[in-house]
Amino acid sequence: MLTLGKTLVMQMIIPVPDTFSFDLAISFLLRSPRELLHRVEGNKVFKALKIDGIIILCSIELDKNGVSVKFPGGNPNATQKKKVECYIREWFDLETDLTPFYEMAKKDALLKNLVVTYRGYRIVGQPDLFESLVWAVLGQQINLQFAYTLKQRFVERYGEQIEFNQQKHFLFPSPEIVSTIAMDELLALQFSRQKAKYTIGIAEAFKMGEVSKEKLKGLSLQEAKDMLMKIKGVGNWTANYALMKTFRYPDAFPLEDAGVHNAIKNLKKMKAKPTLDQVKRIFKKYKGWEAYATLYLWKSL
């Protein structure tokens, strides 16, 4: 038991596999200074989670025994701690055995150098399916940094927050809140009319129980995609992205993704980006590991 000011801080250790790089996970989390859903300070990540209706602040870092999680804002009970552990395992994809992927990749011309350079790099996911879908919609057809600007405005305006040591920690807005937002409010944040419509529509689908993380559990990739694509604005790319980031479907990958195309073009020294058929042929070799092949191709950029 450690002491932080007047607050007793409980520590929880989560074992990690050998093929896990916390440094590479942090590098991913540092992609934008506008990100509000976590805060990186040195080698620590601060993350606010809502567990059983209570906002719990976590401090996460790596020590010799694994991922060390502390609770500087107060001490959760055993059930809440278990749910925090499950979230972090999902977030950093600690359950996936990457050995077969690395065995396959070391024989592949595109991936063999990437898996050496970025060994231990894992899919930093979005365990919240609603967040994953909305973020995918926000990122469509605009540059990444403007997508983060929209997300920052959205989270600041509609997300719950707590303050600890004069720092604010935010939660992603809930479907219940977002479903009540008027279109004009999102347009004022510089959402396009289409993004505003789709964001509210996704929230309404969650609020009405038409889709949920629980409903998708156990479905095949195609069944899960079919369910998600019934929601207006969720196309093939968005569904694949969400299933990759939230459920870790190993065969989910955004075929139409410009980043994947650019990575292949660069690595193969092509004059033009590959066609969809060319991408499909390349990914046939990655059967069962399409999501991780996508991750490492993205990293090459």
Side-chain angles (χ1 to χ4, degrees), residues 146-164:
F146 186 58
Y148 271 111
T149 297
L150 293 180
K151 180 181 174 183
Q152 179 187 33
R153 293 169 182 169
F154 182 61
V155 170
E156 282 181 329
R157 181 76 178 271
Y158 302 108
E160 291 184 75
Q161 59 181 271
I162 59 169
E163 188 169 318
F164 183 77

Side-chain angles (χ1 to χ4, degrees), residues 6-230:
K6 294 183 179 179
T7 305
L8 295 177
V9 182
M10 296 294 294
Q11 182 179 28
M12 175 173 69
I13 300 293
I14 303 174
V16 298
D18 292 336
T19 52
F20 170 66
S21 170
F22 192 64
D23 287 342
L24 287 172
I26 284 181
S27 75
F28 177 85
L29 296 175
L30 284 169
R31 288 192 306 169
S32 173
R34 297 187 181 277
E35 177 60 71
L36 295 179
L37 298 179
H38 56 261
R39 179 187 298 278
V40 178
E41 295 181 6
N43 63 348
K44 292 183 181 179
V45 180
F46 290 87
K47 176 77 172 173
L49 299 172
K50 195 166 190 177
I51 307 291
D52 299 335
I54 298 171
I55 301 177
I56 296 172
L57 180 62
C58 308
S59 166
I60 306 163
E61 61 185 312
L62 192 69
D63 71 15
K64 62 182 180 180
N65 297 311
V67 169
S68 169
V69 184
K70 299 171 186 173
F71 304 97
N75 297 320
N77 62 37
T79 300
Q80 292 165 338
K81 285 173 64 180
K82 187 64 180 176
K83 291 179 180 179
V84 168
E85 178 180 351
C86 288
Y87 184 97
I88 292 171
R89 286 184 175 279
E90 277 193 68
W91 192 22
F92 293 121
D93 196 22
L94 298 180
E95 300 299 322
T96 300
D97 179 7
L98 291 184
T99 304
F101 170 66
Y102 285 143
E103 287 298 313
M104 177 274 292
K106 73 181 184 182
K107 303 169 188 173
D108 181 75
L110 291 181
L111 297 177
K112 63 182 181 182
N113 293 329
L114 297 177
V115 295
V116 172
T117 303
Y118 304 114
R119 185 173 178 80
Y121 189 42
R122 289 172 175 259
I123 296 173
V124 178
Q126 287 169 321
D128 181 339
L129 179 61
F130 176 65
E131 175 190 338
S132 192
L133 288 168
V134 172
W135 173 233
V137 166
L138 291 184
Q140 289 173 1
Q141 300 177 328
I142 60 175
N143 70 67
L144 185 62
Q145 290 313 311
F146 186 58
Y148 271 111
T149 297
L150 293 180
K151 180 181 174 183
Q152 179 187 33
R153 293 169 182 169
F154 182 61
V155 170
E156 282 181 329
R157 181 76 178 271
Y158 302 108
E160 291 184 75
Q161 59 181 271
I162 59 169
E163 188 169 318
F164 183 77
N165 280 352
Q166 299 181 320
Q167 293 283 6
K168 292 180 179 178
H169 301 271
F170 290 84
L171 297 174
F172 196 76
S174 69
E176 292 74 21
I177 293 295
V178 179
S179 65
T180 66
I181 298 172
M183 178 90 72
D184 288 347
E185 293 181 44
L186 294 182
L187 296 180
L189 301 182
Q190 288 191 289
F191 278 53
S192 68
R193 186 164 294 276
Q194 190 177 58
K195 288 185 191 298
K197 181 180 178 182
Y198 292 164
T199 297
I200 294 169
I202 292 169
E204 289 173 344
F206 273 80
K207 183 180 178 181
M208 298 300 293
E210 295 170 13
V211 67
S212 67
K213 189 174 180 179
E214 290 69 30
K215 282 191 172 183
L216 266 64
K217 281 181 180 176
L219 298 184
S220 69
L221 174 64
Q222 191 58 52
E223 289 170 333
K225 282 173 62 175
D226 289 345
M227 180 176 286
L228 289 179
M229 289 170 65
K230 290 178 182 177

Side-chain angles (χ1 to χ4, degrees), residues 286-297:
Y286 308 147
K287 184 68 176 173
W289 287 103
E290 291 92 334
Y292 262 93
T294 297
L295 180 74
Y296 279 75
L297 289 172

